Amino acid sequence: MTKVIVQGKARGLVLKTNNPINFLGAVDKQTGTIHDKKHDIFEKSIKDSVLVFPHGVGSSVGAYTIYSLKENGTAPVAMICQKADLTVASGCALANIPMIIVSSDEFESIENGKELEVDTESSNVLN
Amino acid sequence: MEFTKEEEKALNGEMGETLQTAYRILLATGEATNAESLIPIKWAHLSGVNYNTIGDSGEEFLRNISKDAKVKVKTTVNPMGFDVDHISEFDHIDNDFVEKQKSIRDSYIRMGVEPTFSCTPYDIFDLPQKDTQVSFAESNAAIFANSLGGLKTNKESAFSALASAITGKSPYSDLRKDGFEIPTTIRMKLENPNELDFGLLGFFAGKVADTSVNISGVSQPNRRSCKSLCGGMGTSGTCAKFQFVDEENNSSEKIDFGKEEMQKIHDELNTSDNGDLITLGSPQLGLEEISDLSNMLKGKSFQKRCMIFCSRAVQNQARHLDYTNEIERAGGEILSDCCTCLTPLIDTNEVDSVITNSVKGAYYLKNSTGVDVNLKPLSKIVQEETN
């Protein structure tokens, strides 16, 4: 089951991690690079990606980080999570970044590096 | 998500851009929490005040929205980057930072907030009656409100709490309802835990729990330990509520937190055996903690610089009651309106490593400020770092 949290349509390359993301603590909002050394996508840039991660964690101010990424042109084009959290949901809502929740099976099946389109108006959502 | 006709109008922009933005956020957070509708809230507490965290885009956003946005309910705000009374003593902070921070402060004041600049609103105000619906963004405050304050809130984000402040509403999520089942119980196995152990327990629980968690094996921790638990839990995960349970005769999943689990979290956050600077207060210290600290410091002096963070309201009370004399005599610098987490007051050209008893502080010192951390309980800090 796919659930739409923020509507929209976008296409990009999947950047996938199985670790939750603390946007305030782990992401450089100027560059979009993950700077938490303990994170498995350390030094990877989330810019223009379809970012696939289980859910957001940590500071509520992470919502501002998502908004800043968008303003700085370093944001993902879409986000796909397994579980919704308010920080990511509200950050994406204000920044107009399409965001959806997918089931564990769907989450598993998304391949890192693959081109993917998110379209919340389409019946498939993921293409 | 079902909106009323009025809410629908606001979402469609018929009541102006600000309310449209607010309802767009409530729609997304409502979907995210599987809520069916919005309910009124009595008090909002906002995060997103420190220029260090929200940056230029945040400053600009607030400057724009504050031209017509007004809060509809009592609204308190989180710490900012510095203490206005002491900023001139911190040479490494440039004018641009000071100006941008003041702009953010002024934007919030223009919207009608109470200028508390504190992450511990529960230490400043009497809490409203049991089961009152509130919207707290600061994670330690949300967890405290739900778990110890008898209030009901989501673990709001900076934007969802702002949307609540402007509309007076929030999604009616499970956390706001009575009688939902808590699926996980953490069994606290440490004996005579101090406040640092409680912070580590919180960090552990936040990692393994979903939105709520039971904790067994704990008997009436003091306020310092409770706040440490809330701070740790808020840092690592999405958990918004805990409850202490006596018996384990429920059907929830049981997870032990013993020495091994504690050590693992400790090793993750503690990256140094010593430090150049001590910080106390993340969450900011309350009056009781300031009083305790003043007693612990009798006849002692810090051998290193020690920054002590509390809210302006608590500092004023503490001065009135003379708790601050002993602390300042011992060399402690009492700072308000800001906090260990993400303050630019720590000059990373001068400081390589910070000593603190805060698990929450440790995480942000390490990951955001970019310094090493020596974690130890307050009793040990006083014992080892004073003479």
Side-chain angles (χ1 to χ4, degrees):
Chain A
M1 254 312 277
T2 304
K3 183 167 189 186
V4 177
I5 305 296
V6 180
Q7 294 187 344
K9 181 178 174 177
R11 176 178 281 275
L13 296 180
V14 170
L15 176 62
K16 184 178 177 181
T17 169
N18 289 313
N19 290 341
I21 298 177
N22 180 332
F23 277 87
L24 180 63
V27 185
D28 181 331
K29 56 181 181 267
Q30 300 301 336
T31 61
T33 308
I34 302 287
H35 61 191
D36 176 355
K37 285 186 190 131
K38 296 218 165 68
H39 208 283
D40 67 347
I41 52 169
F42 173 56
E43 288 186 324
K44 294 246 164 56
S45 172
I46 62 175
K47 182 184 173 183
D48 297 332
S49 69
V50 172
L51 185 61
V52 181
F53 61 111
H55 55 87
V57 286
S59 174
S60 58
V61 187
Y64 272 94
T65 309
I66 293 171
Y67 177 72
S68 297
L69 287 165
K70 179 73 176 212
E71 292 291 297
N72 295 338
T74 53
V77 294
M79 297 199 201
I80 301 174
C81 295
Q82 247 178 319
K83 188 171 89 174
D85 71 279
L86 297 189
T87 298
V88 174
S90 65
C92 288
L94 191 65
N96 274 318
I97 298 170
M99 186 210 163
I100 59 166
I101 301 299
V102 295
S103 68
S104 313
D105 287 349
E106 281 173 297
F107 188 89
E108 289 295 319
S109 70
I110 299 172
E111 288 172 44
N112 193 27
K114 198 181 112 184
E115 188 171 354
L116 193 65
E117 183 179 75
V118 177
D119 181 0
T120 61
E121 297 294 308
S122 144
S123 54
N124 287 333
V125 184
L126 293 179
N127 290 297
Chain B
M1 215 30 198
E2 288 277 330
F3 273 11
T4 64
K5 277 189 179 143
E6 194 82 345
E7 291 162 356
E8 203 64 55
K9 272 188 189 171
L11 181 67
N12 293 333
E14 290 173 44
M15 293 155 96
E17 208 180 321
T18 298
L19 278 176
Q20 183 179 28
T21 303
Y23 277 98
R24 203 168 73 221
I25 291 166
L26 294 177
L27 176 65
T29 53
E31 294 294 350
T33 52
N34 295 315
E36 282 150 17
S37 60
L38 300 175
I39 49 146
I41 56 111
K42 289 274 169 60
W43 179 1
H45 179 83
L46 310 183
S47 62
V49 186
N50 187 346
Y51 174 60
N52 222 11
T53 61
I54 69 169
D56 289 330
S57 321
E59 185 268 337
E60 196 183 331
F61 166 74
L62 289 168
R63 190 154 30 85
N64 285 331
I65 200 169
S66 66
K67 283 175 189 156
D68 68 340
K70 285 278 176 289
V71 301
K72 210 171 169 180
V73 293
K74 169 180 174 153
T75 302
T76 48
V77 286
N78 244 8
M80 49 182 171
F82 54 75
D83 180 329
V84 179
D85 293 346
H86 293 272
I87 188 63
S88 58
E89 298 155 29
F90 294 86
D91 292 339
H92 67 282
I93 297 180
D94 60 30
N95 269 339
D96 186 54
F97 191 101
V98 175
E99 289 312 312
K100 294 273 173 56
Q101 181 63 77
K102 284 182 176 168
S103 159
I104 293 165
R105 178 193 65 184
D106 294 347
S107 293
Y108 278 117
I109 290 173
R110 212 159 31 243
M111 285 191 265
V113 311
E114 301 199 23
T116 47
F117 303 115
S118 169
C119 51
T120 52
Y122 50 80
D123 274 339
I124 302 179
F125 296 97
D126 290 333
L127 297 183
Q129 68 184 61
K130 194 172 172 294
D131 292 335
T132 299
Q133 301 281 352
V134 300
S135 279
F136 283 6
E138 163 57 37
S139 56
N140 98 80
I143 294 168
F144 190 100
N146 278 332
S147 315
L148 303 162
L151 307 179
K152 289 192 156 67
T153 179
N154 295 314
K155 192 183 172 212
E156 301 288 349
S157 82
F159 292 146
S160 70
L162 180 60
S164 286
I166 292 170
T167 60
K169 292 174 189 175
S170 177
Y172 193 29
S173 61
D174 282 349
L175 269 169
R176 297 187 173 283
K177 296 170 187 166
D178 287 321
F180 63 87
E181 218 162 279
I182 297 183
T184 313
T185 300
I186 309 282
R187 291 195 280 221
M188 174 61 155
K189 296 288 186 188
L190 299 181
E191 283 174 24
N192 301 318
N194 57 43
E195 84 281 6
L196 175 57
D197 296 324
F198 273 102
L200 295 165
L201 166 67
F203 198 88
F204 177 80
K207 276 191 172 186
V208 299
D210 187 12
T211 52
S212 57
V213 66
N214 288 317
I215 298 174
S216 70
V218 167
S219 64
Q220 298 189 322
N222 64 20
R223 197 165 175 98
R224 183 188 304 135
S225 292
C226 283
K227 287 171 69 175
S228 181
L229 174 60
C230 293
M233 188 177 286
T235 307
S236 61
T238 53
C239 190
K241 181 186 168 91
F242 65 82
Q243 82 182 10
F244 293 132
V245 292
D246 288 332
E247 301 292 329
E248 295 181 18
N249 59 353
N250 56 53
S251 58
S252 66
E253 178 198 11
K254 311 288 192 303
I255 300 170
D256 285 351
F257 179 75
K259 274 192 177 146
E260 203 178 309
E261 290 79 12
M262 188 273 284
Q263 199 58 47
K264 208 172 154 214
I265 304 276
H266 188 271
D267 292 348
E268 186 182 324
L269 296 167
N270 179 77
T271 54
S272 176
D273 294 335
N274 51 48
D276 316 313
L277 166 77
I278 304 157
T279 70
L280 302 174
S282 173
Q284 290 172 331
L285 301 186
L287 195 59
E288 190 185 316
E289 293 163 274
I290 295 270
S291 162
D292 269 3
L293 182 63
S294 148
N295 287 328
M296 289 168 88
L297 288 172
K298 282 217 167 84
K300 299 189 162 98
S301 292
F302 284 109
Q303 295 168 280
K304 288 170 184 161
R305 187 168 191 183
C306 177
M307 296 181 183
I308 296 155
F309 297 95
C310 65
S311 66
R312 177 93 27 207
V314 164
Q315 182 178 170
N316 288 343
Q317 285 173 300
R319 290 211 178 277
H320 187 68
L321 295 165
D322 281 343
Y323 295 158
T324 49
N325 291 350
E326 197 66 37
I327 295 172
E328 288 175 337
R329 187 211 44 77
E333 293 170 54
I334 300 171
L335 296 162
S336 292
D337 305 335
C338 50
C339 163
T340 299
C341 292
L342 300 143
T343 178
L345 297 181
I346 297 166
D347 182 356
T348 49
N349 292 320
E350 301 283 326
V351 175
D352 292 327
S353 174
V354 174
I355 299 163
T356 187
N357 64 342
S358 166
V359 163
K360 176 178 184 171
Y363 179 88
Y364 288 106
L365 285 164
K366 185 86 200 77
N367 287 300
S368 297
T369 312
V371 291
D372 281 320
V373 178
N374 180 204
L375 260 179
K376 51 191 177 193
L378 182 60
S379 58
K380 215 169 161 191
I381 293 178
V382 172
Q383 194 189 339
E384 292 177 5
E385 307 296 341
T386 63
N387 57 19

Tab-separated table of all heavy atoms in Angstrom, chain A residues 1-5 16 18 52-54 80-84 100-110 124-126:
chain	number	residue	atom	x	y	z
A	1	MET	N	0.835	-1.203	0.000
A	1	MET	CA	0.000	0.000	0.000
A	1	MET	C	0.871	1.255	0.000
A	1	MET	O	1.759	1.410	0.820
A	1	MET	CB	-0.873	0.031	1.266
A	1	MET	CG	-2.347	-0.287	1.040
A	1	MET	SD	-3.098	0.612	-0.342
A	1	MET	CE	-3.505	2.159	0.442
A	2	THR	N	0.601	2.108	-0.957
A	2	THR	CA	1.325	3.374	-1.007
A	2	THR	C	0.444	4.470	-0.442
A	2	THR	O	-0.743	4.520	-0.736
A	2	THR	CB	1.669	3.705	-2.475
A	2	THR	OG1	2.403	2.600	-3.001
A	2	THR	CG2	2.513	4.955	-2.563
A	3	LYS	N	1.041	5.308	0.386
A	3	LYS	CA	0.272	6.417	0.945
A	3	LYS	C	0.945	7.743	0.580
A	3	LYS	O	2.143	7.898	0.767
A	3	LYS	CB	0.181	6.271	2.460
A	3	LYS	CG	-0.663	7.342	3.076
A	3	LYS	CD	-1.017	7.037	4.506
A	3	LYS	CE	-2.057	8.061	4.949
A	3	LYS	NZ	-2.376	7.953	6.351
A	4	VAL	N	0.146	8.651	0.053
A	4	VAL	CA	0.697	9.947	-0.349
A	4	VAL	C	0.681	10.895	0.848
A	4	VAL	O	-0.356	11.109	1.469
A	4	VAL	CB	-0.121	10.557	-1.504
A	4	VAL	CG1	0.411	11.944	-1.855
A	4	VAL	CG2	-0.093	9.641	-2.712
A	5	ILE	N	1.842	11.437	1.176
A	5	ILE	CA	1.923	12.423	2.258
A	5	ILE	C	1.971	13.836	1.658
A	5	ILE	O	1.290	14.727	2.117
A	5	ILE	CB	3.165	12.183	3.152
A	5	ILE	CG1	3.176	10.741	3.689
A	5	ILE	CG2	3.217	13.187	4.301
A	5	ILE	CD1	2.031	10.379	4.599
A	16	LYS	N	19.385	5.070	-1.909
A	16	LYS	CA	18.671	4.300	-0.887
A	16	LYS	C	19.563	3.982	0.303
A	16	LYS	O	20.733	3.647	0.143
A	16	LYS	CB	18.167	2.993	-1.503
A	16	LYS	CG	17.319	2.160	-0.552
A	16	LYS	CD	16.809	0.908	-1.242
A	16	LYS	CE	16.027	0.051	-0.275
A	16	LYS	NZ	15.548	-1.177	-0.901
A	18	ASN	N	19.194	2.033	4.384
A	18	ASN	CA	18.326	1.347	5.342
A	18	ASN	C	18.401	1.984	6.719
A	18	ASN	O	17.789	1.517	7.662
A	18	ASN	CB	18.668	-0.139	5.408
A	18	ASN	CG	18.239	-0.857	4.145
A	18	ASN	OD1	17.104	-0.667	3.669
A	18	ASN	ND2	19.138	-1.641	3.566
A	52	VAL	N	15.417	7.393	-0.699
A	52	VAL	CA	14.642	6.289	-0.130
A	52	VAL	C	15.272	5.901	1.202
A	52	VAL	O	16.440	5.492	1.248
A	52	VAL	CB	14.636	5.082	-1.106
A	52	VAL	CG1	13.803	3.936	-0.529
A	52	VAL	CG2	14.103	5.498	-2.475
A	53	PHE	N	14.534	6.079	2.289
A	53	PHE	CA	15.065	5.793	3.632
A	53	PHE	C	13.905	5.415	4.543
A	53	PHE	O	12.752	5.750	4.256
A	53	PHE	CB	15.841	7.006	4.164
A	53	PHE	CG	15.041	8.274	4.323
A	53	PHE	CD1	14.754	8.794	5.583
A	53	PHE	CD2	14.575	8.968	3.211
A	53	PHE	CE1	14.019	9.964	5.738
A	53	PHE	CE2	13.838	10.148	3.362
A	53	PHE	CZ	13.563	10.640	4.622
A	54	PRO	N	14.192	4.683	5.642
A	54	PRO	CA	13.080	4.170	6.455
A	54	PRO	C	12.207	5.283	7.035
A	54	PRO	O	10.991	5.252	6.918
A	54	PRO	CB	13.763	3.387	7.575
A	54	PRO	CG	15.158	3.143	7.123
A	54	PRO	CD	15.503	4.211	6.146
A	80	ILE	N	10.883	8.808	-0.379
A	80	ILE	CA	10.072	7.606	-0.174
A	80	ILE	C	10.488	6.995	1.164
A	80	ILE	O	11.660	6.682	1.374
A	80	ILE	CB	10.279	6.587	-1.312
A	80	ILE	CG1	9.917	7.216	-2.662
A	80	ILE	CG2	9.471	5.318	-1.052
A	80	ILE	CD1	10.227	6.319	-3.868
A	81	CYS	N	9.537	6.856	2.065
A	81	CYS	CA	9.834	6.295	3.388
A	81	CYS	C	8.964	5.075	3.653
A	81	CYS	O	7.989	4.814	2.953
A	81	CYS	CB	9.560	7.329	4.479
A	81	CYS	SG	10.631	8.765	4.419
A	82	GLN	N	9.341	4.361	4.732
A	82	GLN	CA	8.570	3.215	5.175
A	82	GLN	C	7.566	3.647	6.230
A	82	GLN	O	6.531	3.031	6.422
A	82	GLN	CB	9.521	2.206	5.814
A	82	GLN	CG	9.652	0.939	5.037
A	82	GLN	CD	10.641	0.023	5.716
A	82	GLN	OE1	11.700	0.436	6.208
A	82	GLN	NE2	10.304	-1.238	5.752
A	83	LYS	N	7.976	4.694	6.948
A	83	LYS	CA	7.164	5.158	8.063
A	83	LYS	C	7.213	6.685	8.009
A	83	LYS	O	8.269	7.259	7.751
A	83	LYS	CB	7.816	4.661	9.349
A	83	LYS	CG	7.042	4.862	10.603
A	83	LYS	CD	7.711	4.120	11.776
A	83	LYS	CE	8.728	4.992	12.482
A	83	LYS	NZ	9.278	4.374	13.697
A	84	ALA	N	6.081	7.319	8.232
A	84	ALA	CA	6.071	8.787	8.166
A	84	ALA	C	6.435	9.378	9.514
A	84	ALA	O	6.053	8.851	10.543
A	84	ALA	CB	4.697	9.273	7.753
A	100	ILE	N	6.091	10.026	-0.284
A	100	ILE	CA	5.143	8.920	-0.127
A	100	ILE	C	5.675	7.893	0.870
A	100	ILE	O	6.872	7.814	1.144
A	100	ILE	CB	4.839	8.208	-1.464
A	100	ILE	CG1	6.139	7.640	-2.078
A	100	ILE	CG2	4.164	9.150	-2.460
A	100	ILE	CD1	5.865	6.657	-3.206
A	101	ILE	N	4.722	7.108	1.402
A	101	ILE	CA	5.048	5.991	2.298
A	101	ILE	C	4.752	4.710	1.528
A	101	ILE	O	3.707	4.612	0.881
A	101	ILE	CB	4.131	6.026	3.539
A	101	ILE	CG1	4.292	7.345	4.293
A	101	ILE	CG2	4.406	4.843	4.469
A	101	ILE	CD1	5.662	7.594	4.795
A	102	VAL	N	5.683	3.762	1.589
A	102	VAL	CA	5.450	2.473	0.924
A	102	VAL	C	5.542	1.326	1.936
A	102	VAL	O	6.088	1.504	3.024
A	102	VAL	CB	6.464	2.227	-0.224
A	102	VAL	CG1	6.295	3.241	-1.342
A	102	VAL	CG2	7.897	2.230	0.300
A	103	SER	N	5.004	0.162	1.560
A	103	SER	CA	5.058	-1.018	2.430
A	103	SER	C	6.491	-1.542	2.492
A	103	SER	O	7.336	-1.181	1.672
A	103	SER	CB	4.150	-2.113	1.871
A	103	SER	OG	4.721	-2.567	0.657
A	104	SER	N	6.760	-2.409	3.474
A	104	SER	CA	8.100	-2.998	3.607
A	104	SER	C	8.527	-3.721	2.343
A	104	SER	O	9.677	-3.617	1.916
A	104	SER	CB	8.150	-3.999	4.763
A	104	SER	OG	7.556	-3.451	5.877
A	105	ASP	N	7.587	-4.456	1.732
A	105	ASP	CA	7.917	-5.199	0.510
A	105	ASP	C	8.327	-4.263	-0.623
A	105	ASP	O	9.324	-4.494	-1.308
A	105	ASP	CB	6.724	-6.050	0.049
A	105	ASP	CG	6.514	-7.247	0.955
A	105	ASP	OD1	7.422	-7.503	1.790
A	105	ASP	OD2	5.466	-7.900	0.840
A	106	GLU	N	7.534	-3.202	-0.775
A	106	GLU	CA	7.867	-2.235	-1.830
A	106	GLU	C	9.206	-1.559	-1.539
A	106	GLU	O	10.010	-1.343	-2.432
A	106	GLU	CB	6.768	-1.164	-1.925
A	106	GLU	CG	5.548	-1.633	-2.677
A	106	GLU	CD	4.435	-0.599	-2.596
A	106	GLU	OE1	3.948	-0.333	-1.476
A	106	GLU	OE2	4.063	-0.070	-3.649
A	107	PHE	N	9.408	-1.257	-0.265
A	107	PHE	CA	10.658	-0.611	0.141
A	107	PHE	C	11.844	-1.505	-0.228
A	107	PHE	O	12.818	-1.063	-0.828
A	107	PHE	CB	10.640	-0.335	1.652
A	107	PHE	CG	11.805	0.495	2.140
A	107	PHE	CD1	11.725	1.884	2.156
A	107	PHE	CD2	12.975	-0.100	2.586
A	107	PHE	CE1	12.792	2.657	2.603
A	107	PHE	CE2	14.048	0.661	3.026
A	107	PHE	CZ	13.959	2.045	3.035
A	108	GLU	N	11.705	-2.786	0.113
A	108	GLU	CA	12.754	-3.770	-0.205
A	108	GLU	C	13.050	-3.816	-1.701
A	108	GLU	O	14.198	-3.935	-2.119
A	108	GLU	CB	12.302	-5.180	0.227
A	108	GLU	CG	12.254	-5.418	1.725
A	108	GLU	CD	13.621	-5.354	2.361
A	108	GLU	OE1	14.568	-5.883	1.754
A	108	GLU	OE2	13.734	-4.775	3.459
A	109	SER	N	11.972	-3.704	-2.499
A	109	SER	CA	12.128	-3.935	-3.936
A	109	SER	C	12.757	-2.736	-4.673
A	109	SER	O	13.174	-2.875	-5.820
A	109	SER	CB	10.780	-4.292	-4.553
A	109	SER	OG	9.964	-3.145	-4.552
A	110	ILE	N	12.809	-1.579	-4.023
A	110	ILE	CA	13.389	-0.415	-4.713
A	110	ILE	C	14.911	-0.555	-4.769
A	110	ILE	O	15.558	-0.802	-3.752
A	110	ILE	CB	13.002	0.915	-4.010
A	110	ILE	CG1	11.485	1.090	-4.031
A	110	ILE	CG2	13.691	2.106	-4.692
A	110	ILE	CD1	10.978	2.255	-3.221
A	124	ASN	N	-0.111	4.120	-10.498
A	124	ASN	CA	1.014	3.311	-9.996
A	124	ASN	C	1.869	4.037	-8.958
A	124	ASN	O	2.554	3.397	-8.179
A	124	ASN	CB	1.937	2.921	-11.138
A	124	ASN	CG	1.303	1.868	-12.012
A	124	ASN	OD1	0.462	1.105	-11.531
A	124	ASN	ND2	1.680	1.841	-13.272
A	125	VAL	N	1.825	5.349	-8.977
A	125	VAL	CA	2.658	6.221	-8.132
A	125	VAL	C	4.150	6.095	-8.458
A	125	VAL	O	4.810	7.057	-8.776
A	125	VAL	CB	2.408	6.029	-6.622
A	125	VAL	CG1	3.245	7.039	-5.830
A	125	VAL	CG2	0.926	6.229	-6.294
A	126	LEU	N	4.669	4.832	-8.403
A	126	LEU	CA	6.086	4.627	-8.734
A	126	LEU	C	6.203	4.025	-10.119
A	126	LEU	O	5.560	3.023	-10.420
A	126	LEU	CB	6.746	3.688	-7.724
A	126	LEU	CG	6.875	4.211	-6.299
A	126	LEU	CD1	7.520	3.159	-5.409
A	126	LEU	CD2	7.661	5.506	-6.251
